[in-house]
Amino acid sequence: MANAAIELVGVNKWYGDFHVLKDIDLSVGAGEKVVICGPSGSGKSTVVRCINKLEEHQRGTIHLFGRELTNESRSVASIQGEIGMVFQQFNLFPHLSVLDNLTLGPMKARGLSRADAQERARHYLTRVRIPDQANKMPKQLSGGQQQRVAIARSLCMEPKAMLFDEPTSALDPEMISEVLDVMVELAQEGMTMIVVTHEMGFARKVADQMVFMDEGEIVEHGPPDAFFGNPRTARCQKFLSQILQH
Amino acid sequence: MKKLILPLSLLLLLAGCSSSGNWGWYVIDPRTSGGWTNIKFLISGMGSTILISVIAASISIVLGLIVALPGQSGNRWLRLINRIYVEFIRSIPLLPMLFWVFYGLPIVFKSLGINVPIDPFWGAIITLAISDSAFTAEIYRSGIQSIARGQSEAAQTIGLNYVQTMRYVILPQAIRRILPPLANQFIYIVKMSAFASVIGMQELTRRANELVVTEYRPLEIYTLLIVEYLVLVLIISAGVRWLERRMGADERV
């Protein structure tokens, strides 16, 4: 697919002898949403971390917006900030206020003035529905608020695509929906997204493609209707029945 | 002041023994003009001790960071350079290094055609700073490693390069954890600066040595010398605790 935003072909990765990713093929068109699920240790986080080069892949190719991504530092530097990343543990900078968390990237990596960066930060804080917390420290916010700040921090870089690595797994149950609501909104506005999550309600609502991974392989891959209605493999059926039971 | 009560009362107790004839506090008795002159002579070394220590510690803090950063690199050769520096420098005892710098280094310079004389002042500072930098480098290393990896990953994903990540994200967080052990190192430098006396630097210990030679009263004079270091270190400790409180307050948790 020539016009894919993110394209992985035959990507393999090893940690020493351990084969974490086995021949991963994935093509994400601009504006598409992909949800990756699977048991822990299946390699789904590693896929996402290879796409923004927090991890290196050893074989296969990754193209972002038509440009090949190699493990050389120059190409690594060129993509960081263009692809937003939201972590399970938020990873806000605890020594900086919410506003400073948001302005750091635009000011230092993009060269925006403080005033412009702050204006942009306030815009995105409003979008994630916490416009009045700008001067607080991260620790003063709830988990759900912190994760929304983290989303806003990524959006401040005006990325072309967003990656989410289990964004709600570290949250208390009552805070999950406030984060998912923001993500649904983002999806509806046309952001290209890859989301690693077990929130199947969210997946049904926004996903264009569902990916099920197990033991480093993509086991099942397809549109959500077929994926949920009629999973082909036993592994995927078992997994879905386990997480949909509750 | 409370902290001074113990050493001062100890001094007074020792003073009480003077009737036995073993003690001669008169050499440093501020009530006699001779004693007062001696005290002033001893304390006049304080400025040099402080100056040497502060300059050496400042250099060591910068040098330590420069040494520590390659140790965090993904490049194994840079890590190797860091390991060699740290292991080599911290294995050299201070006194031999001081002799090497003061007596040996000028010869090296001369053979290279560089005419840089090394006086006791800079000889002491260079030695203390280099010797200490291996330890400050290790302090930085543990401080930087104590910051969760997610922090530098998050910094990378918002486009910060290595230097920016260190400067705006990692070091500001690490510094709070680094400060107490760095203060410890500073106290260590203050005490080790006494070695500068052997190359003729006029600091606290040198002054005491010189007075002992003329007065033949080592017990009293070295006792006062120890009290001088004690007071100096207590003042530094109090200052560091003040600084720690201030930085803790800035955390706004």
Side-chain angles (χ1 to χ4, degrees):
Chain A
M1 210 163 118
N3 56 353
I6 301 169
E7 186 162 46
L8 285 72
V9 178
V11 170
N12 278 271
K13 177 173 177 61
W14 289 263
Y15 287 124
D17 287 337
F18 181 54
H19 200 170
V20 217
L21 296 182
K22 300 167 187 164
D23 292 321
I24 301 294
D25 296 317
L26 185 65
S27 179
V28 186
E32 258 195 317
K33 292 91 182 105
V34 177
V35 170
I36 304 178
C37 61
S40 59
S42 59
K44 52 198 192 306
S45 291
T46 311
V47 170
V48 165
R49 292 167 61 86
C50 278
I51 293 173
N52 64 6
K53 283 290 131 242
L54 291 177
E55 306 273 357
E56 295 186 351
H57 63 285
Q58 275 101 30
R59 218 167 63 199
T61 59
I62 300 178
H63 280 84
L64 294 178
F65 309 103
R67 229 170 0 153
E68 183 172 356
L69 194 57
T70 62
N71 290 324
E72 283 166 45
S73 62
R74 184 179 290 262
S75 112
V76 173
S78 72
I79 61 122
Q80 277 161 353
E82 298 204 3
I83 299 215
M85 173 86 172
V86 175
F87 300 87
Q88 182 178 351
Q89 299 295 340
F90 327 141
N91 293 344
L92 294 177
F93 307 132
H95 62 299
L96 298 177
S97 71
V98 167
L99 194 64
D100 290 342
N101 263 278
L102 268 60
T103 55
L104 187 61
M107 284 171 64
K108 304 303 172 195
R110 293 274 195 271
L112 259 66
S113 71
R114 180 175 294 276
D116 288 348
Q118 287 187 350
E119 193 190 319
R120 191 187 278 189
R122 289 185 195 284
H123 168 73
Y124 285 110
L125 278 179
T126 308
R127 270 191 48 180
V128 300
R129 299 176 198 155
I130 32 176
D132 45 358
Q133 312 281 12
N135 295 315
K136 289 201 176 160
M137 300 304 280
K139 278 179 189 164
Q140 295 171 298
L141 305 182
S142 71
Q145 289 173 326
Q146 288 191 46
Q147 191 60 299
R148 284 184 284 151
V149 171
I151 293 172
R153 179 175 66 181
S154 285
L155 291 176
C156 278
M157 297 303 290
E158 312 211 305
K160 294 180 188 159
M162 289 278 284
L163 309 174
F164 295 81
D165 187 5
E166 306 207 30
T168 57
S169 299
L171 294 176
D172 291 333
E174 75 272 19
M175 293 171 182
I176 291 177
S177 67
E178 64 187 51
V179 172
L180 291 180
D181 286 348
V182 166
M183 289 167 62
V184 169
E185 226 174 77
L186 198 60
Q188 285 163 351
E189 285 163 22
M191 177 64 79
T192 307
M193 292 162 70
I194 299 181
V195 184
V196 174
T197 186
H198 291 161
E199 296 295 334
M200 289 302 129
F202 168 82
R204 273 184 220 257
K205 205 180 284 179
V206 306
D208 299 304
Q209 297 182 47
M210 288 298 302
V211 172
F212 172 72
M213 286 185 68
D214 193 16
E215 293 177 355
E217 293 176 295
I218 292 182
V219 176
E220 189 131 350
H221 186 182
D225 289 345
F227 183 86
F228 288 112
N230 187 20
R232 289 176 291 113
T233 60
R235 275 193 282 183
C236 188
Q237 278 167 13
K238 186 166 169 246
F239 177 78
L240 283 176
S241 72
Q242 277 166 344
I243 61 167
L244 292 176
Q245 230 166 35
H246 304 287
Chain B
M1 260 335 267
K2 244 188 223 165
K3 289 168 193 147
L4 296 180
I5 288 174
L6 181 68
L8 286 178
S9 54
L10 197 67
L11 257 185
L12 288 173
L13 187 74
L14 292 170
C17 307
S18 63
S19 57
S20 72
N22 294 329
W23 293 79
W25 286 114
Y26 64 89
V27 283
I28 49 166
D29 186 341
R31 289 166 301 183
T32 67
S33 73
W36 182 236
T37 310
N38 284 346
I39 288 178
K40 280 196 290 188
F41 177 75
L42 287 171
I43 291 180
S44 67
M46 187 73 86
S48 292
T49 292
I50 294 173
L51 197 59
I52 289 176
S53 306
V54 168
I55 297 177
S58 308
I59 296 173
S60 165
I61 283 171
V62 176
L63 191 58
L65 183 60
I66 294 171
V67 172
L69 289 180
Q72 308 295 314
S73 161
N75 182 320
R76 77 161 87 161
W77 295 107
L78 287 175
R79 285 206 305 274
L80 187 66
I81 290 170
N82 162 276
R83 276 337 293 168
I84 290 173
Y85 183 94
V86 169
E87 296 299 346
F88 183 68
I89 296 296
R90 76 176 170 189
S91 71
I92 309 173
L94 194 69
L95 198 52
M97 197 199 285
L98 188 65
F99 288 147
W100 194 90
V101 168
F102 187 63
Y103 298 110
L105 199 55
I107 301 171
V108 176
F109 280 165
K110 209 177 219 168
S111 69
L112 293 172
I114 310 166
N115 190 20
V116 184
I118 292 181
D119 59 11
F121 181 72
W122 286 106
I125 287 174
I126 292 169
T127 308
L128 283 169
I130 291 178
S131 172
D132 193 59
S133 67
F135 294 91
T136 37
E138 289 295 277
I139 292 171
Y140 278 115
R141 180 172 70 105
S142 68
I144 290 169
Q145 284 176 348
S146 76
I147 303 302
R149 201 171 143 201
Q151 289 289 306
S152 58
E153 290 183 349
Q156 277 177 47
T157 59
I158 57 166
L160 300 191
N161 62 31
Y162 174 76
V163 173
Q164 290 169 330
T165 300
M166 276 293 156
R167 179 164 164 208
Y168 299 112
V169 177
I170 305 298
L171 288 178
Q173 295 184 63
I175 195 72
R176 282 192 198 98
R177 299 175 198 195
I178 286 172
L179 194 64
L182 274 189
N184 234 3
Q185 278 309 115
F186 182 55
I187 289 169
Y188 193 74
I189 284 192
V190 169
K191 296 198 296 178
M192 290 300 121
S193 72
F195 277 117
S197 62
V198 302
I199 56 169
M201 185 63 217
Q202 291 288 337
E203 41 68 73
L204 286 176
T205 304
R206 178 75 178 195
R207 288 284 151 105
N209 279 340
E210 288 183 356
L211 198 62
V212 165
V213 171
T214 55
E215 296 281 357
Y216 307 110
R217 278 286 168 193
L219 178 58
E220 296 76 10
I221 292 168
Y222 287 137
T223 304
L224 181 60
L225 177 64
I226 287 170
V227 172
E228 285 179 296
Y229 280 111
L230 180 73
V231 170
L232 195 53
V233 170
L234 287 177
I235 291 171
I236 296 168
S237 301
V240 170
R241 235 166 287 144
W242 173 81
L243 198 62
E244 278 173 25
R245 266 200 309 277
R246 225 191 68 151
M247 295 190 76
D250 275 352
E251 212 170 13
R252 285 183 284 169
V253 179

